[in-house]
Amino acid sequence: MIFPGNVVQVEFINDCSHTFHVNFIDSESSEEDMIIANLQPAAASETVQSFPGHQFAVYDEDRTFRLRVLVGQGHEHGDHVSFRITDDMIHPQKPVDVEFINDTSSKQLHINYLDPDSDNEEMIIHNLSPGKSCSDSNFDEICSETIHSFTGHDFVAYDEERSFRIILHVDESHRSGDTVTFAITDEIIASL
C-alpha cells in the first residue's frame, strides 16, 4: 500500500557513458511521463520527490537500453533512495567465447541457441562428433566447437533421438573475453 505521507527523495545518478532520460510509470495505466530529460554522463545526478512503490523507466534517446527501477515499499517518509546507473547495468552482457565439448562415447550432439524473448531455438552446431578425449593427439574427429556469444545466453544440447535435453547457461559472472566451456559427458546424460 502506498501512503501519500511517505514522501521519499529519489536520486538518479548517471555513472555510465550515455545520456539518459527517466520516465515515471503509472502503475494503473502503464502510461509514462518524462520527469528527467538528458541526464548527462560523468556522475551527474538529479533528485525527484516520489513515494514507495513508484516505478521508473531509464533509457537513452536511441532506446538502445531500457531499465525499470522500483522504489521499495519499505521506505519511510524522508528517506533518500539512490539509483546509480552504470554501464554494467545497461550493457550487462559481456562478449565471451563458448566452447562446447562432446565428451560422450557415442552420441552426436546438436546445440541450439535459446532466444529469451520468444523461447524459440536456433541451431548453431549440428552433429558435434563424440570423442573419448579432446586432448588425445591421435583423435581424428571433431569433439569441440567454439562460438562467440555473450554472458546471459542460454543454449540447449540434445542428441538426434532427443533422448535428453540439457540447458546450458552462460553465467553473468564471466568477464569480457573469457572462454566458457561446456563438456557433455555420458555421466551427465545418465544423471538426467
Side-chain angles (χ1 to χ4, degrees), residues 39-127:
L39 190 58
Q40 299 296 312
S45 70
E46 194 163 326
T47 302
V48 298
Q49 288 187 342
S50 190
F51 298 95
H54 279 181
Q55 290 186 56
F56 301 92
V58 178
Y59 61 96
D60 67 344
E61 188 70 33
D62 296 327
R63 299 196 184 254
T64 61
F65 72 89
R66 178 181 166 88
L67 301 173
R68 287 178 77 134
V69 296
L70 170 73
V71 178
Q73 293 288 357
H75 292 287
E76 297 179 0
H77 182 74
D79 281 356
H80 183 92
V81 180
S82 293
F83 294 108
R84 180 176 298 277
I85 310 302
T86 66
D87 283 327
D88 284 342
M89 293 172 70
I90 62 175
H91 299 295
Q93 295 181 325
K94 298 178 259 328
V96 294
D97 288 331
V98 181
E99 179 183 27
F100 299 95
I101 299 173
N102 184 349
D103 203 10
T104 65
S105 57
S106 63
K107 294 192 177 290
Q108 295 276 346
L109 295 181
H110 306 295
I111 309 292
N112 290 355
Y113 167 71
L114 182 58
D115 185 310
D117 297 323
S118 66
D119 284 333
N120 290 332
E121 295 181 19
E122 177 184 336
M123 183 173 284
I124 57 169
I125 300 174
H126 182 71
N127 289 334

Side-chain angles (χ1 to χ4, degrees), residues 167-185:
I167 296 180
L168 308 166
H169 177 71
V170 180
D171 190 270
E172 287 83 357
S173 66
H174 292 285
R175 295 180 302 212
S176 293
D178 281 357
T179 297
V180 181
T181 302
F182 293 110
I184 310 302
T185 65

Side-chain angles (χ1 to χ4, degrees), residues 110 112 121 123 156 158-165:
H110 306 295
N112 290 355
E121 295 181 19
M123 183 173 284
V156 178
Y158 59 96
D159 63 353
E160 192 67 35
E161 298 79 29
R162 295 189 183 255
S163 64
F164 68 90
R165 177 181 164 88

